[in-house]
Amino acid sequence: KDKKRNSPFPTKRPEVLEADVVRFRNNKEKWVAFIGLIENMPYEIFTGLSDDEDGILLPSSVTKGYIIKHREDEETSRYDFQYINKRGYKTTIEGLSYKFNPVFWNYAKLISSVLRYGMPIHKVVELVSSLQLDNDTINSWKIGVSRALKKYIPDGTVAADARCGVCGSTNIVYQEGCLKCMSCGSSKCG
């Protein structure tokens, strides 16, 4: 832990990170997020349309892999995603950073910076959800990113400013990425 930054992560990104692949749909479009992890906590995120014309050709069975950082020169890095296919061979998708729309890349880079700094994951989700964006595609993207990150919120985390739609209680916590009312037991996901 770096005490200066108050971050649970090392100051230098490891060359290889374990990663989860999270797929989601918004406005009938297929999206994918690659979430780089350190000790099972989100460290970085790459995301965008999974059926873009350049495409991310990734079997639906792939839910885990590795994000590998390659230095191309002093100023440029490339991020690749690698997974083990059904036959046991390594398969690499090169240049994640070049596969997605630059607008999504920039927002994901900002979110990754917030994650690296050590902001609690439920606060990162609140931040992403509160972004005021003027484009429907970007708005659907932020909803999907929030959903993808919610699964990393520790169970029992208090949901500040949340109110139960059934009983009106403010005794709301996160449970498996969903909001659960501790007073009446109702649950809301999404």
Side-chain angles (χ1 to χ4, degrees), residues 22-100:
V22 180
R23 292 171 183 82
F24 51 96
R25 282 187 176 264
N26 276 314
N27 296 335
K28 299 180 183 174
E29 296 174 318
K30 295 177 184 177
W31 294 71
V32 63
F34 297 89
I35 302 173
L37 307 169
I38 292 181
E39 295 182 20
N40 294 318
M41 290 298 298
Y43 177 80
E44 64 190 7
I45 185 168
F46 298 86
T47 186
L49 289 167
S50 63
D51 57 358
D52 199 359
E53 60 186 46
D54 286 331
I56 295 287
L57 298 173
L58 187 67
S60 59
S61 61
V62 176
T63 59
K64 297 204 172 289
Y66 302 93
I67 298 173
I68 304 165
K69 181 178 181 179
H70 296 279
R71 280 246 170 245
E72 294 184 339
D73 56 44
E74 294 233 356
E75 296 178 16
T76 310
S77 296
R78 184 185 84 216
Y79 296 86
D80 298 341
F81 177 73
Q82 187 175 85
Y83 64 96
I84 306 298
N85 68 23
K86 286 184 177 179
R87 293 190 174 116
Y89 294 104
K90 292 178 184 174
T91 303
T92 303
I93 299 170
E94 294 185 349
L96 277 184
S97 44
Y98 306 110
K99 293 279 187 191
F100 297 125

Side-chain angles (χ1 to χ4, degrees), residues 132-177:
Q132 300 293 315
L133 306 168
D134 62 355
N135 176 304
D136 287 343
T137 304
I138 297 292
N139 275 316
S140 68
W141 172 85
K142 80 172 187 180
I143 292 166
V145 169
S146 294
R147 283 187 201 143
L149 291 174
K150 278 183 182 176
K151 76 178 216 167
Y152 299 99
I153 298 174
D155 287 350
T157 300
V158 174
D161 301 325
R163 184 173 296 277
C164 178
V166 176
C167 74
S169 171
T170 57
N171 189 12
I172 310 293
V173 298
Y174 284 94
Q175 193 73 34
E176 296 178 11

Side-chain angles (χ1 to χ4, degrees), residues 95-109:
L96 277 184
S97 44
Y98 306 110
K99 293 279 187 191
F100 297 125
N101 178 311
V103 174
F104 303 128
W105 168 253
N106 285 327
Y107 281 117
K109 196 171 179 181

